[in-house]
Amino acid sequence: MTALPSGPVPHRDPDDDTLRLECGVCGVWGATADEASSIVALGLHALQHRGQEACGIASVADERFHTERHMGLVGEAFGGSDLSKRMPGTAAVGHTRYSTAGGSFLRNIQPMFADLDSGGIALAHNGNLTNFLQLRNQLVGEGAIFQSTSDSEVILHLIARSRRAKTVDRFIDALSRIEGGYALVAQTRHKMIGARDPLGIRPLVLGRLGEAWVLASETCALDMIGATFERDVENGEVIVVDRQGLRSIKPFPERTARPCLFEYVYFSRPDSVVNGRSVYEVRKAMGRGLAQEHGVEADIVVPVPDSGVPAALGYAQESGLPFEMGIIRSHYLGRTFIQPSQGARQLGVRMKHSPNKSALAGKRVVLIDDSIVRGTTSLKLVRAVRAAGAAEVHLRSASPQILYPDFYGIDMPDRDQLMAANLSLEEMREKLEVDTLGFLSIDGLYRAMGEPGRNNAAPQFTDHYFTGDYPTRLIDREMEEGGRDVVSRQLSLLVSA
C-alpha cells in the first residue's frame, strides 16, 4: 500500500527497527441478517498484527453502502454491540493498516469507496504497486482528481476509467495495468471480488461460514469467526461471489507462484497456514536449521518474544539445550500515541522487553530473533541481557541477512540503513556486542520450507530482501533512479562548463 511522501509522518520511534507489513484484509458475502460487519470486525481483530494504526469497514445493505474508518485498534473502533445497526448488511469488507511515508490521516484509511456509473465499490488492498507513481502521474495528467496519497486509489481510478461494460471486466482491466504484490477484496452492490497478484506474493485465503463466503489475508481470521478454510486464492486468480455462487477467473498468462518468505519468517501469525504450510512448524524448522548451521556451547536458549519463540523452540530441540523465557514482553503498547519522551528513549526497550534475571544470571545464552534489520533493537536487547547477568550472549537470526529493501508491502529501511548490507559479519558482531553471531543460510531457510534448497534458476519464493532477486519490474524505482541520473548528468555538464 504505497503512499506519497506528504502529510504527517507516522508515529514511529526512530530507534525502532521492527519490520511492518502494512495491511490485512477481510471480506464476507452472504452473511445472515445484518451480521456481515460484525463478522468482518472479528476477522480484522485476528489480523491486527498486520496493522495496528487504523482500520475501516464498508457494508452493503439494500444496495446502499455504510462505511466507517477510524484511527486506532479494531476493538476500539468496532467493538460496540450496535455495530450491526450502524453498519447493516449481509456483505462487508474491512481493512487494518499501518501507514508508511504517506502519513497517518483519515483519508488514507481503507476500504476506499467510490461511486461509479455502475454503482458504488469499496476496495481493501494489502501490498504495494511498483508502478504506482507512473500510473498516478498518467491519471493526473488525464484530469483525475485524487483524494488520498495511497496507491489503492489508483486502482479505483483505473476501474472507473475502464471502457469495459461489466464491473468484473473493468476490475480485471485495472489489474492488467498494475505491477507489484497485492491481495485485493472489493465489494459492489451485488458482488464480492477478490484477487491475488500473478506471483502470489501477498497471501489471500477463501473460507466458508455456513452459506457465506469469506476472503481474508490469513487463515487465523477464518478461525476467529468460525469459518472453514476452503483453499488459498491462487496466484493471478480473480474470485467473484454473487447470488449465483462463486466462480474463479484466470485472466492472465499462467506464472509460477513466488509467495513472500517473510510471511513465514515474521508477518503471519504462527497459528496461520499460508500456502499450505503451517507458519508455526516452518519457524520451528528454521530454528532447527539454525542450530545445525550455528551451534555453540551454551547453557540456555532464549527467544526474543513473540516472533522468535517458535524458532527458539526448534533450536532448543535440535541442540538439546534448555528453552527459557529469559525476556518477558509487555503486551500493552498497542496505542500508537503512547511514546516515550526523548529523555526516556534509552529506557524504551524495557517498555516492550524486560530481561528475566532469574533465568539469565550466570548463563551462556543463545538469543534467537526472527531477523536483524538495523540492529538498534538487537543491541538494546543484548545490553539488557548482559545487564541481567548473562555470562555470554550468542545472537542467532532465524532468517538470512537482510541485504535489500522491499517494494511489495513491507515497511523496510533503505539499503544504506540495513546493517547486513553495510557491515561484515565480524563488524556486525562487534557492533552488536555479542560473543558470536550467526544467520540462517538462504538454503537453510528453503529447507525449512520443505525444499531441498534455493533453485537459483527458478526461485520458489520471493526472497529479494536476502538475494536482490526482485520478481517484478520496479518501475517507480527505475523512474526515480533515472531522474537522479539525469540530475547528476546535468550537474556534471554545468561543472565542466
Side-chain angles (χ1 to χ4, degrees):
M1 197 178 61
T2 306
L4 292 172
S6 62
V9 296
H11 299 291
R12 185 168 183 176
D13 188 328
D15 292 332
D16 177 13
D17 62 354
T18 304
L19 296 176
R20 291 174 174 172
L21 184 63
E22 295 151 20
C23 319
V25 298
C26 184
V28 62
W29 175 272
T32 58
D34 288 320
E35 294 181 347
S37 57
S38 297
I39 293 170
V40 167
L42 281 173
L44 293 180
H45 180 76
L47 298 171
Q48 192 81 89
H49 59 288
R50 300 182 75 90
Q52 300 173 24
E53 186 175 85
C55 52
I57 294 176
S59 67
V60 186
D62 299 323
E63 300 189 357
R64 294 181 58 189
F65 280 85
H66 304 265
T67 63
E68 287 190 19
R69 299 184 293 173
H70 301 275
M71 300 299 297
L73 300 174
V74 174
E76 297 167 346
F78 298 110
S81 59
D82 63 338
L83 182 59
S84 60
K85 295 179 181 178
R86 291 175 6 227
M87 306 189 71
T90 59
V93 61
H95 188 272
T96 186
R97 79 186 290 266
Y98 277 119
S99 71
T100 52
S104 308
F105 38 58
L106 197 61
R107 62 180 179 170
N108 275 349
I109 302 174
Q110 298 187 40
M112 291 195 166
F113 177 80
D115 271 315
L116 310 181
D117 54 4
S118 58
I121 183 171
L123 178 72
H125 169 211
N126 169 30
N128 269 6
L129 305 187
T130 57
N131 62 338
F132 158 54
L133 293 176
Q134 180 192 60
L135 289 172
R136 192 181 194 275
N137 291 340
Q138 290 175 356
L139 290 164
V140 169
E142 295 168 2
I145 299 174
F146 280 78
Q147 301 298 318
S148 76
T149 60
S150 169
D151 60 352
S152 308
E153 190 177 0
V154 163
I155 302 172
L156 285 178
H157 278 281
L158 293 175
I159 295 170
R161 287 169 176 262
S162 172
R163 297 185 179 278
R164 305 289 177 85
K166 297 181 179 179
T167 301
V168 172
D169 294 333
R170 296 170 78 168
F171 186 87
I172 292 171
D173 191 28
L175 295 184
S176 70
R177 296 188 60 185
I178 64 178
E179 296 251 6
Y182 57 82
L184 302 170
V185 181
Q187 293 280 4
T188 72
R189 293 177 301 169
H190 305 296
K191 291 178 174 62
M192 177 171 71
I193 308 171
R196 196 173 176 191
D197 66 81
L199 291 173
I201 297 173
R202 297 269 70 86
L204 190 64
V205 298
L206 177 68
R208 200 73 191 266
L209 181 62
E211 297 300 313
W213 290 99
V214 182
L215 288 167
S217 292
E218 294 181 38
T219 59
C220 64
L222 304 182
D223 297 337
M224 176 67 75
I225 65 178
T228 58
F229 170 74
E230 291 288 317
R231 63 179 179 85
D232 289 287
V233 176
E234 296 180 15
N235 55 303
E237 183 180 19
V238 175
I239 296 286
V240 181
V241 183
D242 55 23
R243 292 176 182 174
Q244 282 68 51
L246 181 145
R247 59 191 170 107
S248 168
I249 304 172
K250 302 284 187 65
F252 307 115
E254 186 174 345
R255 300 178 66 180
T256 301
R258 288 186 62 181
C260 175
L261 273 177
F262 248 108
E263 290 289 346
Y264 302 93
V265 171
Y266 181 77
F267 291 122
S268 295
R269 259 179 39 167
D271 55 331
S272 283
V273 176
V274 178
N275 301 303
R277 294 174 174 86
S278 162
V279 174
Y280 177 75
E281 294 299 334
V282 168
R283 289 179 184 166
K284 283 182 67 178
M286 291 175 188
R288 290 194 295 271
L290 195 55
Q292 293 164 6
E293 294 181 357
H294 296 285
V296 65
E297 289 189 9
D299 299 311
I300 58 173
V301 178
V302 172
V304 176
D306 289 324
S307 56
V309 170
L313 283 170
Y315 192 104
Q317 291 170 0
E318 183 68 22
S319 65
L321 296 173
F323 172 94
E324 296 287 352
M325 292 301 294
I327 298 174
I328 308 302
R329 183 190 174 196
S330 170
H331 292 267
Y332 302 99
L333 298 175
R335 293 295 295 270
T336 57
F337 61 77
I338 300 178
Q339 298 290 320
S341 67
Q342 185 69 26
R345 181 163 286 157
Q346 290 301 109
L347 302 176
V349 69
R350 296 178 185 271
M351 293 177 63
K352 186 175 182 180
H353 294 118
S354 298
N356 181 2
K357 293 183 180 180
S358 64
L360 297 171
K363 301 295 176 56
R364 298 172 297 174
V365 177
V366 181
L367 186 62
I368 308 290
D369 207 349
D370 56 81
S371 58
I372 298 174
V373 186
R374 289 188 295 173
T376 51
T377 299
S378 299
L379 178 58
K380 289 179 181 180
L381 286 170
V382 169
R383 287 175 172 173
V385 169
R386 287 201 185 277
E392 297 176 5
V393 181
H394 305 275
L395 182 59
R396 298 292 182 265
S397 168
S399 73
Q401 297 180 35
I402 300 174
L403 301 170
Y404 301 90
D406 179 80
F407 301 98
Y408 303 102
I410 302 174
D411 183 7
M412 187 181 288
D414 289 333
R415 196 167 190 226
D416 61 2
Q417 298 181 54
L418 296 173
M419 179 178 249
N422 296 279
L423 300 176
S424 68
L425 186 66
E426 177 60 19
E427 288 170 335
M428 285 190 284
R429 187 198 66 77
E430 291 180 355
K431 187 167 184 177
L432 293 171
E433 301 176 6
V434 293
D435 295 276
T436 64
L437 174 65
F439 293 82
L440 184 65
S441 67
I442 187 68
D443 280 337
L445 180 52
Y446 271 76
R447 285 192 290 270
M449 297 293 296
E451 302 288 344
R454 186 180 195 267
N455 182 343
N456 293 323
Q460 306 95 310
F461 299 95
T462 288
D463 59 9
H464 51 275
Y465 18 73
F466 308 130
T467 65
D469 180 11
Y470 291 92
T472 73
R473 282 189 63 195
L474 305 177
I475 295 174
D476 289 342
R477 189 74 169 184
E478 292 168 4
M479 290 172 57
E480 178 185 343
E481 291 175 350
R484 284 201 297 264
D485 290 343
V486 169
V487 172
S488 297
R489 286 196 297 271
Q490 290 173 338
L491 289 172
S492 65
L493 288 173
L494 286 171
V495 170
S496 63

